[in-house]
Amino acid sequence: AAEAGDVQAMYEVSLRHRHGYGIARNAANSNVWRQRAAIGGHPEAAYEMARTYGTVDRRGAVISDEKAGDIGESSKQLVMWLARASEFGSAAAKHELALLRLYGVFKDDAAKTGYLVPLQSVKTSAVQLLTENAEAGSWQSQYALAELYQVGYGDIKPNSTEANKWWQELNEQRDATIQLSIGRHFLAGNPKSYGVGDKKWMGKDLSYDETNRFAFEWFGRAAAQADKDAIWQLAVMEYNGIGTPKNLTRALQLYRKAAELGQVEAMYELGIAYMNGV
């Protein structure tokens, strides 16, 4: 099917070469089929092509060490593939393309302006992209806009009305998978690496304890819809006393519930608990 031109089949063949599903692992063949799928219009394949050139987060883009020989060319390839993936329908690519346009390209903690300079016109384009994505339901873009309008950036002035609008849109997300993702966003592991304000909510800079309480709340929303991964995350937090008081009895109940729903890590932890008499 892939050889006949089916882009979904091309992507599936790429995955099987990459992971060794039914065939020996072959990274070269995987890359060839992924690129063919990406050129053919497969959104995930095009997004994965972009990720080979760099990663994008709230601070901008960092060019991959693997492709860093020419930062200008790597930047162009990153932008090109993100733009293609956006056109093919990837919400993640559209979100990252907006952040890249807004904040620029970085390498070794130094801003590189040779290719992409965050001029006013680029910032405007970035906000438009974020808004389109947020209106289509992307929680990442809703969060980015809420934070952007809360604190401002360059010529983008703080706007409490706009910030509150997007905070409210984010708060009304009802899909369990999205709620799980939001919980993971707020979850902070190492208190030493967390700074107050790393995560925000409704105009407030969150402390380490506060952001974990938010994570616990969002996992709870997803768990109420029987999301097995969210139930497992709650169990882990109850067991370790993160975002909620430590409660081993409650943790065991949640591990069992998640395990019965097929969550593999929960099965493992439940087995350890029985082995050690927890």
Side-chain angles (χ1 to χ4, degrees):
E3 289 170 351
D6 186 289
V7 294
Q8 180 62 34
M10 293 177 190
Y11 185 63
E12 295 290 348
V13 171
S14 170
L15 291 178
R16 276 147 185 77
H17 278 296
R18 185 190 315 173
H19 299 293
Y21 297 151
I23 194 171
R25 290 187 182 186
N26 189 316
N29 284 347
S30 176
N31 292 339
V32 167
W33 282 111
R34 178 176 60 190
Q35 185 163 1
R36 288 182 64 178
I39 292 171
H42 195 280
E44 284 82 8
Y47 177 62
E48 287 181 12
M49 286 296 299
R51 295 302 293 269
T52 67
Y53 288 95
T55 56
V56 184
D57 62 20
R58 57 192 290 193
R59 297 160 296 181
V62 179
I63 299 305
S64 167
D65 289 338
E66 179 185 342
K67 306 280 187 179
D70 182 344
I71 191 169
E73 183 59 31
S74 294
S75 301
K76 291 177 183 178
Q77 291 292 326
L78 175 61
V79 173
M80 181 192 75
W81 284 113
L82 284 177
R84 284 191 179 183
S86 299
E87 293 168 2
F88 299 153
S90 170
K94 182 178 284 190
H95 174 73
E96 292 189 8
L97 181 62
L99 294 183
L100 195 156
R101 288 179 175 176
L102 190 63
Y103 298 115
V105 178
F106 291 77
K107 177 63 182 168
D108 300 328
D109 297 325
K112 302 293 183 179
T113 57
Y115 168 63
L116 189 69
V117 182
L119 301 173
Q120 177 58 38
S121 59
V122 176
K123 288 184 180 179
T124 302
S125 169
V127 172
Q128 289 171 346
L129 269 180
L130 284 174
T131 302
E132 290 173 9
N133 219 30
E135 289 174 344
S138 167
W139 76 264
Q140 293 96 332
S141 292
Q142 291 171 355
Y143 185 92
L145 284 171
E147 188 176 46
L148 187 63
Y149 283 118
Q150 179 178 314
V151 300
Y153 178 72
D155 295 332
I156 302 170
K157 303 302 180 185
N159 184 324
S160 59
T161 300
E162 280 294 306
N164 290 338
K165 167 189 169 182
W166 292 114
W167 284 127
Q168 194 58 42
E169 288 284 336
L170 180 64
N171 191 46
E172 292 175 0
Q173 290 281 5
R174 295 290 182 266
D175 183 87
T177 302
I178 292 176
Q179 292 170 341
L180 175 66
S181 296
I182 295 173
R184 287 172 172 164
H185 170 77
F186 280 109
L187 184 63
N190 185 354
K192 293 181 179 179
S193 63
Y194 183 85
V196 175
D198 283 357
K199 302 288 168 47
K200 304 182 189 325
W201 181 257
M202 296 288 185
K204 182 179 180 181
D205 291 342
L206 301 179
S207 68
Y208 175 79
D209 289 336
E210 287 171 330
T211 195
N212 281 320
R213 284 198 291 272
F214 268 95
F216 190 82
E217 177 187 328
W218 279 100
F219 289 143
R221 295 187 190 190
Q225 300 186 64
D227 185 286
K228 63 184 180 182
D229 291 316
I231 296 169
W232 170 70
Q233 290 279 10
L234 289 177
V236 173
M237 297 182 80
E238 293 269 13
Y239 184 86
N240 293 294
I242 297 174
T244 187
K246 189 179 183 78
N247 188 328
L248 298 186
T249 300
R250 175 64 178 156
L252 187 65
Q253 293 169 349
L254 290 167
Y255 276 130
R256 174 179 287 280
K257 185 175 181 180
E260 289 173 346
L261 289 171
Q263 216 290 338
V264 177
E265 287 90 347
M267 296 177 189
Y268 175 77
E269 293 297 337
L270 191 61
I272 293 294
Y274 279 114
M275 182 171 70
N276 294 327
V278 177

